[in-house]
Amino acid sequence: MSGNQWGPAPGQFGPPPQQGYQGGPQPPQYSVPPQYYAPPPPPGPQYGWGPLPPQPPRKKSGGAALLVVALLAVAAAGGVFLVVKLTQGGDGPAATAPVATESATPEPTTTASQTTAVPSKSVAPPPRTTTTTKVTPPRPVQTVNPATFNATHRLYKTGVMRTVNCKQARTGLGNGSQSLAYFKAIKTCLDRAWPKQVAASGGRYRSPGLIVWGGSVTTPCGSGVGRSFYCPTTHTIYMESPSIVSFYQQNPTFGRMVGTFTMAHEYAHAVQWMTGLGVAYEKLRYDASAAGALQLSRRLELQASCLGNVFLGANRGSYGITGYAYQMWLYDVNNSGDRPPYPRDHGSTTNHGAWSRAAFQSRNPAGCNTWSASPARVS
C-alpha cells in the first residue's frame, strides 16, 4: 500500500481468475477445510480475510486426533483496521511510540576527482587550415509513454530469481520488539534478493528504510487507517505490528505467513519505485478518470503481490513455506483483496490469489506484467 494503503498509492493484482487450491494434494494432517479458501466476510467492515484457519496441535505419541478450533479475525489488507491519527510533522517520518526504526540506506556521495596539469614540451603550432564543420542539432528527447514503459519494462526479462537461502527468524511475532526482529530478518533477505534484478532492469537499487510501529505514525505520504505501507517520498516501509501480532497470537503459523507476505509485498512497492514503474504509474494516474485510477491502482497492487511472491517462491525451501505453513500462505493470498464497502483499488480475492500462486511457482518477474493484462485479470 502506499501512503496510507497497502503499497504506494492505491494498488492492484494479477493472473486469470482461479479460486482455491491449485497445487498438489494436501497432507491429510494439515488439510484446511474448504471454507477457508474463500470464506464469506464476517459481519462488519472487512478488507482481507474471513475466519482464521486453526493452528493444528502437535502430534501426540500414539497418533491422537487433531483438535481444530476455528478462530475469527476482523482483518484489513495489511492487518486489523486501526484508527490512526496522522499529523503533519517535521522533515522526515516520525512515529508516535514506534516499535523500532531503521533508516533507509543513504545515497552514496561522489566527489569529482582533481587532476594536476603536467607541463609538456613546447611544440610549434601546425599551419592553419580552414575547415567547414556541419553542425547537426541534437535529437529531441523522446518522452516514453508511461503505459508503454510499464507494459514493456525490462524487469520482465531479468529471469528467474535465484534463492538467497533466506531463513525464517526464530523469533515469533508475540509483541512489537519481536516483530521488529522478525521483519528485519526478512528485509535482510530482500536486500540480497532484489539488487541483481533491479540493476538488470535498468533501475538503481537502494535499500529502503524500515519502521515498525504501533499506535500512530506521521509520514509525508498522508494519513489513513492503520495498515502497513510503503512511502515513496521517504523510500521507507512502515510495518504496522499490532494486527500481525494479533494474528500470531490466534494462530502462530498464520501470523508468520501474514507478516512474511506483507513485508515482501511492501518491499515490492519499493522495487516498483526503484525501477521507474511507480513513477510511471503516478503519471498515468494524474489524468485518469475515477474508474481509470482504480484500475491503475489494482494493476500496481497486484503487481506488488506478484513480485513479493516471486521472492517467497524462490526461497520457499529454505524459509520453510511447506506443509501447514504453505496452506496458511495459500489461505492468505487467496483471501486478500477488495471487500465491500471498500473501494476496488487492490483487486478481487480471486485475481489476487491467481497472480500470487503463479508467481510463487514461476519465481520469475516475467509473470508479473499486470500493465498489459486484460481488465478482467485485474478486476
Side-chain angles (χ1 to χ4, degrees):
M1 140 172 87
S2 90
N4 28 17
Q5 314 237 27
W6 233 31
Q12 317 123 67
F13 302 121
Q18 291 178 328
Q19 185 62 54
Y21 179 76
Q22 296 297 318
Q26 306 171 48
Q29 67 271 32
Y30 292 128
S31 294
V32 179
Q35 67 265 28
Y36 289 130
Y37 293 163
Q46 292 298 304
Y47 192 103
W49 304 282
L52 291 185
Q55 174 83 359
R58 294 182 180 179
K59 283 187 175 181
K60 295 181 180 179
S61 56
L66 295 177
L67 176 62
V68 179
V69 180
L71 301 171
L72 299 179
V74 179
V80 175
F81 269 81
L82 302 176
V83 178
V84 177
K85 179 182 178 183
L86 298 182
T87 58
Q88 198 105 20
D91 298 330
T96 302
V99 174
T101 307
E102 184 176 283
S103 59
T105 301
E107 296 259 2
T109 57
T110 57
T111 305
S113 59
Q114 297 180 346
T115 57
T116 304
V118 178
S120 59
K121 297 179 181 179
S122 19
V123 179
R128 289 187 177 183
T129 56
T130 304
T131 57
T132 304
T133 304
K134 183 179 180 182
V135 179
T136 304
R139 292 183 178 182
V141 178
Q142 299 296 326
T143 302
V144 180
N145 181 290
T148 302
F149 178 84
N150 279 9
T152 60
H153 202 280
R154 286 165 55 185
L155 180 63
Y156 314 134
K157 300 178 181 179
T158 57
V160 173
M161 177 178 282
R162 295 187 178 184
T163 182
V164 292
N165 293 311
C166 184
K167 306 285 186 184
Q168 186 173 175
R170 292 185 178 182
T171 178
L173 290 152
N175 55 47
S177 297
Q178 291 180 355
S179 297
L180 171 66
Y182 193 85
F183 295 138
K184 286 181 70 174
I186 304 172
K187 183 178 180 295
T188 298
C189 295
L190 289 159
D191 284 344
R192 289 189 286 125
W194 279 111
K196 181 179 179 181
Q197 233 96 18
V198 170
S201 71
R204 186 170 67 88
Y205 176 81
R206 288 190 307 129
S207 175
L210 171 64
I211 291 180
V212 177
W213 61 283
S216 62
V217 66
T218 300
T219 82
C221 288
S223 60
V225 294
R227 290 181 283 174
S228 299
F229 61 95
Y230 164 74
C231 180
T233 306
T234 58
H235 188 47
T236 297
I237 295 167
Y238 296 84
M239 291 295 294
E240 184 269 348
S241 64
S243 60
I244 297 175
V245 168
S246 175
F247 286 136
Y248 180 81
Q249 291 172 344
Q250 296 174 74
N251 180 325
T253 304
F254 181 67
R256 285 174 177 270
M257 290 301 98
V258 172
T260 297
F261 166 66
T262 303
M263 184 68 198
H265 172 99
E266 301 306 341
Y267 199 102
H269 278 307
V271 170
Q272 288 173 317
W273 258 256
M274 285 187 272
T275 56
L277 289 161
V279 176
Y281 156 78
E282 290 175 334
K283 292 180 179 179
L284 289 168
R285 190 180 172 88
Y286 186 78
D287 291 322
S289 63
L294 286 174
Q295 185 181 101
L296 290 169
S297 178
R298 294 194 297 271
R299 291 187 189 276
L300 185 81
E301 294 293 339
L302 284 167
Q303 183 177 61
S305 284
C306 185
L307 293 174
N309 282 302
V310 164
F311 164 78
L312 296 182
N315 294 278
R316 56 187 157 187
S318 59
Y319 199 82
I321 308 180
T322 58
Y324 184 69
Y326 174 74
Q327 295 304 316
M328 295 301 91
W329 166 84
L330 191 67
Y331 175 83
D332 185 0
V333 300
N334 281 347
N335 293 284
S336 297
D338 299 330
R339 292 184 185 274
Y342 301 101
R344 297 278 291 108
D345 58 0
H346 279 65
S348 67
T349 55
T350 298
N351 278 334
H352 184 271
W355 286 102
S356 296
R357 296 191 303 272
F360 188 84
Q361 295 301 323
S362 73
R363 310 181 306 285
N364 195 329
C368 296
N369 187 357
T370 58
W371 302 98
S372 63
S374 67
R377 296 178 66 199
V378 294
S379 63

